[in-house]
Amino acid sequence: MMLRRRLTLFAVTVAAAPLALGACTSDRRPGQQAEARAKPEVTVTPAEGTRDVPISGEIGTDVKHGRVTAVRITDDKGGAVEAEPREDGTGWVPSKPLAPKRTYTAEVTVTGDSGDTITRKTTFTTQPKSSKPAITSVLYFAGNRTYGTAMPVTVAFDPPIPKEARADVQRRLFVKTDPPQPGAWSWVSDGSQVYYRAPDFWRPGTTISVRSALEGLPIGKQHVGDTDKRATSKIGRQVQLEIDSATKRMSVFQDGKLLRKLPVSLGKPSTPTSSGKMVIMEKHDFTTFDTRGSADPYVVDVEDAQRLTWGGEFIHGAPWSEGDQGYTNVSHGCTNLSAANADWLMGVTQVGDLVTVKGTEVELDEGNGWTAWNVSWEQFAKGSALPVPAGLQPTPTQAPDPGAVAGGSPEPAPSASGG
């Protein structure tokens, strides 16, 4: 995913001078001649003297017969500019956006397969601060947290990203995992959100580091990106919930083992709960559901509420429906639990845990919550604006579990609702 951003700049190709051969050297074997000709070459962008480079600019390197062994970037005051290499070796991305109307110098050293070394120095100037409106981006992945194994990295956009600009945006979204567990980005159809996940659930104990490096990035002809954000968090234990409308029961699993089965009441036929694979998005010890202005207005205080959709579906304590739990669906779309069971569940779950609901009257809509597991991996991969490695597939031997699979993304959170 982390491919070189295509800057519309001239490039300069540098190569070692070709070896001149006379008749008296013609006794070299063909293999030796080919080896002598394989001198390193490197094309560097921005090219020497380029002006009006976006502050999202990076050092592009296209290398033949060798590899980049050193990159040194400095500003016009001699200060060092830290940069990180792209995983595919096509460039170096500054660790923070460049400053507007400043001059930068980059020295790229390449060591050839033949052992020869060449260095290319290029100087360029960034553009003034852009007057174009910025697209607002929201990174739904905070730092210093512990998330569940189904937690997708999500970036939401307002206004949505047009299809022709998605590849450029995706190139500036970076995810690193330790230990490595590669994944892919996938866009919702309207371009309002993009998800990152692996083919399988994150392994417990994994550290995930995210950078949304969009500040100053040209997005189409009318907009630029707004900010450069980073976050690093860990993946905790594996917890999954299965909710079956037919039995009116919630099965709670931890690390593949059934902990409890809890009676529930789901949405009544006029306000049904969505069936699908969701992810716990928020947890509140106390909140207020306020649906004034809707067709079924009410205001109610609730405890132990866990959000599943932006549309207002929660798991929460509902003492008023305890007589119906396990027997009848009477809610406004939420999953009702007894006060005691809701309190217990809050101590088990994490944001990022998978919740699977089945047997209700309606299906979960794309983007109504963190719906990245609600389609197959093959469908998920089709949503990428860049090629996804063919070998990136779910593990065939992965043990069956209560839930898994990919596709949508969240919208900015409205005021709480539920029932």
Side-chain angles (χ1 to χ4, degrees):
M1 270 79 352
M2 301 184 188
L3 302 178
R4 173 165 55 94
R5 179 177 172 270
R6 298 176 181 172
L7 301 175
T8 55
L9 307 171
F10 292 104
V12 176
T13 301
V14 180
L19 181 65
L21 299 178
C24 62
T25 64
S26 62
D27 59 341
R28 290 183 178 177
R29 294 190 299 274
Q32 289 178 315
Q33 291 176 338
E35 182 179 351
R37 287 195 297 269
K39 298 295 183 179
E41 302 176 9
V42 58
T43 302
V44 180
T45 55
E48 174 67 23
T50 301
R51 305 183 65 83
D52 291 330
V53 174
I55 63 172
S56 60
E58 56 191 73
I59 306 304
T61 55
D62 185 5
V63 179
K64 295 180 180 179
H65 312 305
R67 59 189 177 86
V68 175
T69 50
V71 173
R72 181 173 179 266
I73 308 172
T74 54
D75 61 25
D76 46 17
K77 296 182 180 179
V81 176
E82 294 185 3
E84 302 162 293
R86 286 188 173 273
E87 289 185 352
D88 62 0
T90 58
W92 288 68
V93 182
S95 299
K96 61 181 181 180
L98 303 175
K101 297 185 67 175
R102 296 284 296 277
T103 298
Y104 293 88
T105 299
E107 294 182 11
V108 178
T109 300
V110 172
T111 300
D113 300 333
S114 60
D116 296 311
T117 297
I118 59 172
T119 299
R120 177 60 182 171
K121 181 178 179 180
T122 183
T123 300
F124 60 92
T125 303
T126 54
Q127 63 186 197
K129 185 176 181 180
S130 178
S131 60
K132 295 179 180 179
I135 287 181
T136 300
S137 63
V138 180
L139 174 61
Y140 288 104
F141 190 90
N144 302 314
R145 304 286 180 88
T146 298
Y147 288 118
T149 57
M151 182 67 181
V153 177
T154 304
V155 185
F157 302 95
D158 184 21
I161 305 298
K163 185 171 291 187
E164 62 273 15
R166 293 176 194 174
D168 286 339
V169 171
Q170 192 172 321
R171 288 189 185 96
R172 299 290 294 187
L173 302 176
F174 304 96
V175 177
K176 294 181 180 179
T177 55
D178 183 21
Q181 190 177 353
W185 290 97
S186 182
W187 292 83
V188 296
S189 55
D190 66 358
S192 59
Q193 297 95 27
V194 63
Y195 288 130
Y196 186 93
R197 74 168 180 89
D200 301 318
F201 293 122
W202 300 119
R203 291 186 285 269
T206 298
T207 297
I208 301 178
S209 297
V210 181
R211 182 184 180 193
S212 175
L214 300 177
E215 184 173 347
L217 176 72
I219 301 177
K221 296 180 179 180
Q222 304 297 326
H223 296 90
V224 295
D226 58 346
T227 61
D228 195 305
K229 304 171 185 175
R230 292 179 183 265
T232 297
S233 284
K234 283 187 173 291
I235 299 302
R237 60 186 180 273
Q238 186 179 57
V239 174
Q240 297 176 2
L241 312 181
E242 273 201 339
I243 303 169
D244 189 346
S245 181
T247 62
K248 310 294 187 294
R249 292 290 187 275
M250 171 193 292
S251 298
V252 181
F253 296 84
Q254 181 174 317
D255 299 324
K257 297 180 180 180
L258 178 64
L259 298 183
R260 291 187 186 181
K261 284 193 174 184
L262 309 176
V264 300
S265 179
L266 304 179
K268 56 190 175 184
S270 60
T271 54
T273 302
S274 299
S275 285
K277 300 181 189 303
M278 312 168 210
V279 175
I280 295 174
M281 307 168 68
E282 303 169 353
K283 297 179 64 173
H284 303 278
D285 293 328
F286 177 88
T287 191
T288 299
F289 295 158
D290 185 347
T291 67
R292 286 175 294 186
S294 71
D296 189 8
Y298 62 89
V299 179
V300 61
D301 294 333
V302 298
E303 295 183 353
D304 300 320
Q306 306 189 52
R307 182 188 284 273
L308 301 181
T309 71
W310 290 124
E313 295 180 40
F314 285 74
I315 299 169
H316 64 82
W320 56 85
S321 71
E322 288 186 12
D324 295 301
Q325 293 167 21
Y327 303 101
T328 308
N329 290 335
V330 298
S331 83
H332 292 88
C334 290
T335 299
N336 287 182
L337 290 168
S338 70
N341 286 338
D343 180 68
W344 173 82
L345 189 65
M346 284 284 283
V348 174
T349 59
Q350 310 145 114
V351 170
D353 287 340
L354 189 75
V355 179
T356 302
V357 179
K358 64 180 182 180
T360 66
E361 294 86 349
V362 296
E363 296 296 321
L364 179 66
D365 290 331
E366 178 193 41
N368 186 15
W370 295 341
T371 56
W373 294 93
N374 202 44
V375 298
S376 69
W377 172 255
E378 288 72 21
Q379 290 174 287
F380 185 83
K382 289 178 182 178
S384 176
L386 298 171
V388 174
L392 197 59
Q393 295 290 334
T395 304
T397 57
Q398 188 180 28
D401 52 53
V405 233
S409 83
E411 300 182 9
S415 58
S417 60

